[in-house]
Amino acid sequence: MRGAVLYAPGDVRVEERENPAITAPTDAIIRVSATCVCGSDLWDYRGVNEVTQPTPMGHEYVGVVTEIGDEVKNLAVGDFVVGSFFASDNTCEICEAGYQSRCAHAEFVGAGGAQAEYLRVPLADGTLVATPGTPDDDLIPSLLAASDVLGTGWFGAVAAQAGPGRTVVGDGAVGLLAVLAAKQLGAERIIAMSRHGSRQKLAREFGATDIVEERGDEGVARIKELTGGYGAHSVIEAVGTQESMMQAIRSTRPGGHVGYVGVAHGVELPGEELFFAEVHLHGGPAPVRRFLPELIRLIWDREIDPGKVFDLTLPLDQAAEGFKAMDERRAIKTLLKP
Amino acid sequence: MRGAVLYAPGDVRVEERENPAITAPTDAIIRVSATCVCGSDLWDYRGVNEVTQPTPMGHEYVGVVTEIGDEVKNLAVGDFVVGSFFASDNTCEICEAGYQSRCAHAEFVGAGGAQAEYLRVPLADGTLVATPGTPDDDLIPSLLAASDVLGTGWFGAVAAQAGPGRTVVGDGAVGLLAVLAAKQLGAERIIAMSRHGSRQKLAREFGATDIVEERGDEGVARIKELTGGYGAHSVIEAVGTQESMMQAIRSTRPGGHVGYVGVAHGVELPGEELFFAEVHLHGGPAPVRRFLPELIRLIWDREIDPGKVFDLTLPLDQAAEGFKAMDERRAIKTLLKP
């Protein structure tokens, strides 16, 4: 099969790879219908995370089940499925509490590289959710979004307790879908922090009521100005840098909630500032599986259209250009078709 | 009047100080019936916080109103009152959300030094809560506890969402009262981390079901062992050091809650570990005012007896010995009688 492999910073190649095979009776193999490039893939692509060996890329996927292990009970060959980047048994206490990304038996599905024609998904019964039928083609981008970028933005909004009240978000792809989530969760006022025309436009389509272009201390001051001097109730951090994390904490009122879903890189939170900030902090790798049934329903019923976040669609063989366009911020998010 | 003043690390003196006077129409003056030494006072006493000038000490108090400013409406001279260490208007949006310690107009009541015969309390209407009448003498230690150590432990337990499930706490005075709070909030299993016989005994009286003596990695391993390998649902951090904070985070299961009420000293939280820990973090200076009406009721009705935490009672003039006994861990907490 064909699959994308990162050889070194900036060097993504699509090449022949061995087809995945069932290795445990709880596995399933899927034929990938659509996959995409994640903001977190760029940490590797830019060399921030060291690349020590050729690494299959991608952890977002939708597709059709082609093979199941002997113990898989809830899925059948031919099912169209959406899954998360972490496999989960969905039965342990952690899963039952809704934290499937930290399942006692969690495995990173992306280890096999989802930017490929086929993918092995461990713990298939607990990881994959079948759609009500074969989706129309135009629903595929949105279903793919549910696999990570929407699921993660949604978790950010839930972790930040977005709802009636105000919400502030970043402007990455996840941030934009956190806007969509905040809107669905009933937030009346949603402030998007963005300096890019195309992203501002999409933020407004997804439900943003205000746009703040300033960053850092000026951004914090602007948020305070917009919220009676108090700061926002709910702030979603979707980047993962020291600057964005501190901006999120400082933009939140005492007693407010920060939901952080940007994978932290080099972040150190100063304890004393955090203590006196008196905010709620919650986040981590999104337990997408918790939200999948509801997200699939909203997409299936065409109540939300998160697929709009993909502003570049390429054949899998052009994965390198897909990474490059995101790295240069020419694209918000790239969908790849195997 | 007489009042305790810290001159240098280890050097507390009780000396003549000027009586406080009304300086704003929202002030009240109280005659202090009982005050005490806080674990956080020891940061100054031990020289961890720099002492640059003679500093009046104490921020915990109960007493009788002797004078009120022209705009004070809810209190009368003669009322017996309990207040928090932060004055609050109790009307701003932050107060209304229950975060009176971060009131838009918060003032540190301890600035005047509560370890004294009289104390000026700013924003008296929003800060002080009158008891239903003059309390019996034996209730005074418990009412004094409500002013900070109980209110703070209670906030820690609430921030950690203690309730049905498990709870883990430190063994400071605040930690012990967090045990009491967790019990009141319905936690079925309460693990106290303590290596001191007298504190273990009190922890059991307050509701602890298990005691863990180990600290650091061994303590974390023991907590995991006691909680099916997952970690506790709710952990209360009541110390404020790097070690205790990391121990709290690592003892908590993914999706669980850490409530931190120990004033952070030199704490730096590593972003990546925090991200993948996937816990909820909430804490800060306890908004004691939120809980005072309920705590006063529980004490008045003799449903709880948090005053037991005071195992040393001294006249105010012996404040120096009160500090020394706590510093040397001969006393859990010292009550001072002006």
Side-chain angles (χ1 to χ4, degrees), chain B residues 114-170:
Chain B
Q115 292 166 8
E117 291 180 273
Y118 292 89
L119 179 69
R120 181 181 73 87
V121 180
L123 302 170
D125 271 343
T127 306
L128 298 171
V129 178
T131 56
T134 298
D136 294 338
D137 275 355
D138 68 325
L139 286 185
I140 285 182
S142 287
L143 292 168
L144 173 62
S147 171
D148 180 355
V149 62
L150 172 61
T152 295
W154 199 276
F155 174 58
V158 168
Q161 302 215 342
R166 296 164 181 85
T167 302
V168 183
V169 298

Side-chain angles (χ1 to χ4, degrees), chain B residues 61-72:
Chain B
Y61 57 93
V62 291
V64 177
V65 176
T66 57
E67 198 182 344
I68 55 173
D70 292 343
E71 291 176 18
V72 175

